[in-house]
Amino acid sequence: MAIGVKVMKRPSDEVSYIRATLKGMALTFKHMFQARVTMEYPEAKSTDDWRIATRWRGTHRMMTDEQGRSKCVACGLCPQVCPANCIKLVPGEDEKGHRYPLIYEIDEFRCVFCGYCQEVCPEEAIHVGVHYENAEYSRDRFVYDLERLQAQTHPVSTLWDPADPRGQ
Amino acid sequence: MSPLEKGFLLLAVVKMIAVFSMVMVGVALLTLMERKVAGWMQNRPGPNRVGPMGILQPAADGIKNFIKEETRPVSANSFLFLLAPALSFIPAVMLIAVIPLAAPLPVDFDTVLPLIGRVAYHGLMPIAVADLPIGFVFILAFSSLGVYGIALAGWSSNSKYSLIGGLRASAQLISYEVAMGLSLIPLLLISGNASFSDIIARQQQGLWFIMPLFLSFFVFLISGFAETNRLPFDLPEAESELVAGYHAEYSAMKFSLFMIAEYAHIVTVAAMVATLFFGGWDIPFTHWDERGGLLQTIVTHGFFFAKMFFWIFFVMWIRWTLPRFRYDQLMAVGWKILLPLSLGYIMVIAIAIQVIEHGFGWTDPRAEGLSLFVLNLVLGWLVFWVLDSGRVVRGIAPRARSAAASGRGN
Ligand code: SF4
Ligand code: SF4
């Protein structure tokens, strides 16, 4: 025997081949008549025992105020914290001295969905969303601009709360 | 050419086209069935998107395979690379040609057809493309041809995985071919003829060969699995070790041909088990099916199909139950169990037939079958008792155990 071959000690007296095979076949046959557990996705998006987590971090959503403007004050924290460097922010200032984003774009392909942007935002403006159906026909559709981020309607992620670690 | 010869040829062509298209469609549907059965056994619904209940899935797969890009490795031997899928496909499909699919149909016509002139046929038409007197030998010969396709595919792809797959396939098929051929000798001893029609006729007079020749059936079934290259014998493809084994470098329709060959092999093995051990198209407990007629042909074909279908299902059932063998275990099963078992069985059956026919003088097929059946009960129990308790396929366990025992002694 070659050196270093691991030798398994198996209970060779209790070994069974034919009985074990028949047992296995009985088991697989039984399974053919059991209930299917598949959730058939496009028709059913959640079942009684499964739904998407509220802390799911998907594509972003920009919150708006009552006048429909984005809540973002262009503080620059989210592009600063973003580990993937995928937020493009050009700040602007109106005549009253209110800062707002001139350009606010998120490249969802480069995003790693860490959720830091939502955590860091002082205005609770940018959020990661509970959303996963993002198919598009072209790559450039994945750079979401401000308008698009504001137009999203899906629920936003509830981030991890140290006071309530299990999210209940 | 005489009208009779023309009639024979015409019927042969018609049967050929019918059987070929049936096999092709059947194989396509089998791929669906396989995935459905796999799904059901794993509490999944299986493919159900294309068409009602997923029934059009094979069509979608077929179209996909036709429009996919054909790739060819630069360093592959292009002629053999092209030849290999054909070589594995053709024998697989040809096998079904000699198996009688139903009771012979009485045909009687004498007409003048356009272009070919006067054609005539009188008498029973066997429902097999070619009812060869050596059908049995034909099957053994052609089923071993399939290995050339696989071995060539592995070699000509010029890839290490393919090569290993091809080598494994040749070794495996050659080993199991021996056991397969030998396991059927007792069957020839009883039926005394190598033509499928006679084998079926003999089973109609006596018992289905599953009863008097149970161990033959056992060995044949296992080697049949090995011949189809399916789990638990799919060492040639072994996706966890060899990517996809001998067809790793193939794409599109060439890959499909290997797939079709595999499923055609399943059909053949199932049809052979049904024919050789379960009476073929015979309907048990009645002689109505032997009288001949259109209705009889249709009903017996239904019976044949049901038997075949069960064994096709069985092949899939096993696939989704058992894991793959280790290679040395595979060889051990082939050479150390199946081969001696079938050799010994030939001796026992030959002696038993001699004793029964000449010692006791029971030449009636049924009495002979029953006495062999009793013998098989004893033998089968013995063989299973030995096999089951792991006294044969031990691997390295006994050495480990004796080492442990000596360790205790010190
Ligand atoms: S989720 Fe993370 S990676 Fe994505 S934009 Fe926000 S901070 Fe950047
Ligand atoms: S952290 Fe919030 S307020 Fe600051 S730039 Fe980003 S989105 Fe705007």
Side-chain angles (χ1 to χ4, degrees):
Chain A
M1 190 190 299
I3 298 166
V5 172
K6 189 166 126 195
V7 179
M8 298 295 295
K9 248 177 77 184
R10 297 207 169 86
S12 59
D13 288 331
E14 296 133 47
V15 169
S16 97
Y17 295 94
I18 313 252
R19 269 175 303 145
T21 305
L22 292 179
K23 229 188 260 174
M25 286 173 67
L27 184 75
T28 41
F29 195 73
K30 212 166 64 196
H31 271 268
M32 286 188 65
F33 302 101
Q34 285 174 355
R36 316 272 172 259
V37 293
T38 307
M39 183 182 96
E40 299 198 25
Y41 158 61
E43 287 96 36
K45 302 205 172 168
S46 59
T47 56
D48 294 341
D49 47 348
W50 190 89
R51 62 184 166 73
I52 187 163
T54 52
R55 266 164 52 195
W56 174 272
R57 301 190 298 266
T59 46
H60 301 75
R61 175 173 174 195
M62 174 66 83
M63 292 311 200
T64 51
D65 59 14
E66 301 81 49
Q67 285 101 50
R69 295 174 307 193
S70 83
K71 282 190 182 174
C72 174
V73 294
C75 68
L77 281 176
C78 56
Q80 183 67 28
V81 78
C82 176
N85 203 8
C86 64
I87 303 179
K88 180 176 174 191
L89 170 72
V90 175
E93 206 176 298
D94 66 9
E95 56 285 358
K96 286 189 228 138
H98 293 152
R99 286 167 65 87
Y100 67 97
L102 278 175
I103 300 177
Y104 190 95
E105 281 175 5
I106 298 185
D107 185 344
E108 302 288 351
F109 266 166
R110 292 185 59 177
C111 174
V112 296
F113 299 103
C114 60
Y116 285 179
C117 47
Q118 175 175 352
E119 268 187 73
V120 82
C121 182
E123 299 294 321
E124 303 202 333
I126 190 73
H127 284 81
V128 278
V130 184
H131 187 59
Y132 49 89
E133 289 165 323
N134 304 313
E136 294 286 355
Y137 282 102
S138 74
R139 289 181 66 89
D140 34 313
R141 289 278 293 151
F142 278 94
V143 179
Y144 286 19
D145 59 10
L146 188 59
E147 211 175 313
R148 181 127 175 247
L149 287 167
Q150 288 179 2
Q152 306 288 330
T153 53
H154 51 74
V156 295
S157 174
T158 52
L159 288 179
W160 186 67
D161 176 6
D164 177 21
R166 312 194 67 179
Q168 283 150 354
Chain B
M1 235 195 286
S2 77
L4 274 179
E5 283 166 351
K6 275 190 201 159
F8 176 78
L9 268 185
L10 182 71
L11 284 181
V13 169
V14 168
K15 283 188 286 189
M16 212 144 64
I17 294 171
V19 169
F20 183 74
S21 38
M22 253 162 56
V23 169
M24 284 293 109
V25 174
V27 160
L29 289 177
L30 280 189
T31 60
L32 176 68
M33 174 182 162
E34 166 105 325
R35 295 167 64 184
K36 280 278 185 196
V37 168
W40 293 337
M41 287 188 174
Q42 297 164 353
N43 294 14
R44 295 186 284 116
N48 61 356
R49 295 284 136 180
V50 196
M53 302 274 294
I55 201 86
L56 295 179
Q57 185 70 43
D61 289 346
I63 293 170
K64 183 193 78 177
N65 271 326
F66 268 113
I67 62 182
K68 260 172 115 169
E69 182 186 1
E70 295 266 1
T71 57
R72 188 174 65 80
V74 231
S75 48
N77 179 329
S78 50
F79 175 66
L80 292 180
F81 191 75
L82 276 176
L83 185 67
L87 262 190
S88 75
F89 171 73
I90 295 170
V93 185
M94 271 175 85
L95 288 176
I96 205 82
V98 290
I99 292 175
L101 306 173
L105 180 67
V107 179
D108 204 356
F109 64 86
D110 192 343
T111 48
V112 178
L113 288 181
L115 289 180
I116 41 179
R118 185 159 163 250
V119 288
Y121 194 94
H122 306 289
L124 285 175
M125 176 184 76
I127 308 289
V129 174
D131 189 27
L132 293 185
I134 49 150
F136 183 82
V137 185
F138 176 91
I139 289 256
L140 286 187
F142 268 84
S143 70
S144 29
L145 271 188
V147 71
Y148 284 102
I150 293 178
L152 277 183
W155 184 74
S156 67
S157 310
N158 205 349
S159 131
K160 49 187 172 299
Y161 296 121
S162 303
L163 182 61
I164 296 175
L167 287 179
R168 282 186 181 185
S170 353
Q172 171 182 329
L173 292 190
I174 290 168
S175 317
Y176 280 83
E177 195 73 44
V178 179
M180 186 173 187
L182 287 177
S183 75
L184 295 176
I185 301 285
L187 201 138
L188 296 186
L189 285 180
I190 293 193
S191 67
N193 202 322
S195 118
F196 279 110
S197 311
D198 287 353
I199 291 175
I200 293 175
R202 175 70 190 199
Q203 296 186 65
Q204 285 168 338
Q205 294 154 16
L207 293 169
W208 287 2
F209 284 151
I210 170 81
M211 287 167 78
L213 295 174
F214 179 72
L215 284 182
S216 276
F217 163 73
F218 181 66
V219 175
F220 180 80
L221 192 65
I222 295 180
S223 10
F225 272 105
E227 289 290 306
T228 56
N229 281 331
R230 296 200 26 114
L231 270 167
F233 294 97
D234 72 337
L235 274 294
E237 350 191 332
E239 64 271 11
S240 51
E241 308 152 37
L242 300 183
V243 192
Y246 61 90
H247 56 57
E249 304 289 348
Y250 283 88
S251 66
M253 216 45 214
K254 291 207 216 73
F255 166 75
S256 270
L257 281 186
F258 282 117
M259 252 5 221
I260 297 173
E262 179 178 324
Y263 282 93
H265 254 119
I266 297 176
V267 174
T268 318
V269 166
M272 277 184 74
V273 171
T275 308
L276 296 176
F277 295 101
F278 290 85
W281 44 262
D282 180 37
I283 304 175
F285 312 120
T286 167
H287 287 285
W288 171 81
D289 54 326
E290 285 144 46
R291 280 212 292 273
L294 186 59
L295 185 63
Q296 273 88 341
T297 302
I298 293 170
V299 174
T300 50
H301 181 65
F303 263 74
F304 174 78
F305 185 80
K307 291 173 197 172
M308 187 175 83
F309 191 77
F310 173 78
W311 288 106
I312 290 175
F313 169 74
F314 187 84
V315 171
M316 296 178 177
W317 186 5
I318 288 281
R319 167 166 182 188
W320 296 104
T321 302
L322 294 184
R324 184 181 302 130
F325 273 109
R326 205 172 63 200
Y327 199 68
D328 60 327
Q329 290 172 336
L330 176 91
M331 283 293 144
V333 171
W335 291 107
K336 293 191 191 156
I337 299 183
L338 297 186
L339 182 64
L341 183 63
S342 43
L343 276 176
Y345 196 59
I346 295 176
M347 300 295 287
V348 173
I349 291 296
I351 294 170
I353 291 178
Q354 187 71 12
V355 169
I356 291 167
E357 282 187 2
H358 300 283
F360 300 151
W362 299 340
T363 42
D364 171 46
R366 199 156 292 236
E368 191 185 58
L370 277 177
S371 37
L372 281 177
F373 174 57
V374 173
L375 177 71
N376 265 274
L377 280 183
V378 179
L379 278 182
W381 183 81
L382 205 68
V383 166
F384 280 0
W385 180 73
V386 172
L387 277 188
D388 190 45
S389 40
R391 285 167 185 80
V392 189
V393 200
R394 261 204 167 139
I396 47 190
R399 260 175 284 167
R401 198 163 47 130
S402 59
S406 60
R408 257 203 310 280
N410 294 336

